[in-house]
Amino acid sequence: RGLLADDNEWRQVMEEGVLVQLCPQLRQLFCELLTNCTVRNPLDLFELFWRQMGDDFQQNEGIHNEGQLQKLVLEDIERRLFLLGKTLSDFGLQETAGALSLRLQSRQINLPSEISVETSYNVSSMEDAILRAESTMNEKQQHFASQVLAAINNVGDGNERTPNFFLDAPGGTGKTFVFNYLLQKVRMSGNIALGVA
């Protein structure tokens, strides 16, 4: 009770996260801090780290307008909080227009929020990301991805054995790149794909 008078510990956690985590992981860390820790001023913490949390949007989507970048970061955090049963407004952060859409979509169709989120992707940006990935994949990445996609397409064809795939390689060789590509391909076909560790 009252052990932490300020948010210095949470700032340190985020500073360490900036050094070792990818942007999506950093946004998830921010959500975990909000939902599981006593962050006294979530807005200040967001203001300190939103640029680092949005680096991937800036690099991958070429967005340099700070307003647009901050909106993308907030929308992603909003989706993550939604899966945890929370909203941005629970923490004094302004909800984006997508928050109401997520809640309404979940209620109207009567689906669990996880499924609503996993079926509400921006298809055109996903198509662009898939085309970019396919044009930059090396031969081994293409081979692995095609084997996995072929196995996914053959599920339910009477084949009793469903293969398991393991991708083991040194850090920095593109494993996450391939996994993200596979997730997008599965989602583009109208299926739900969840990345778990």
Side-chain angles (χ1 to χ4, degrees), residues 83-145:
L83 291 173
L84 298 169
K86 300 287 183 182
T87 66
L88 287 172
S89 61
D90 291 337
F91 304 101
L93 298 169
Q94 185 175 352
E95 289 187 345
T96 66
L100 181 59
S101 168
L102 282 173
R103 285 196 299 277
L104 287 176
Q105 184 182 23
S106 174
R107 286 185 192 135
Q108 285 174 347
I109 306 172
N110 202 20
L111 293 174
S113 60
E114 294 85 356
I115 293 175
S116 292
V117 169
E118 287 302 317
T119 56
S120 61
Y121 290 101
N122 181 331
V123 175
S124 65
S125 70
M126 207 172 357
E127 284 173 338
D128 293 343
I130 288 170
L131 290 173
R132 278 194 310 271
E134 288 173 341
S135 69
T136 57
M137 280 181 151
N138 66 36
E139 189 176 314
K140 289 182 180 180
Q141 290 170 330
Q142 288 173 350
H143 178 70
F144 180 81

Side-chain angles (χ1 to χ4, degrees), residues 140-195:
K140 289 182 180 180
Q141 290 170 330
Q142 288 173 350
H143 178 70
F144 180 81
S146 66
Q147 284 186 319
V148 172
L149 291 171
I152 290 169
N153 291 331
N154 292 331
V155 169
D157 67 354
N159 185 357
E160 293 184 21
R161 292 186 63 223
T162 303
N164 293 312
F165 294 92
F166 298 91
L167 184 57
D168 184 28
T173 57
K175 295 181 298 293
T176 302
F177 171 74
V178 172
F179 289 134
N180 286 334
Y181 168 76
L182 289 169
L183 289 169
Q184 290 172 334
K185 284 291 280 187
V186 170
R187 290 169 180 155
M188 277 297 293
S189 64
N191 294 307
I192 295 173
L194 299 175

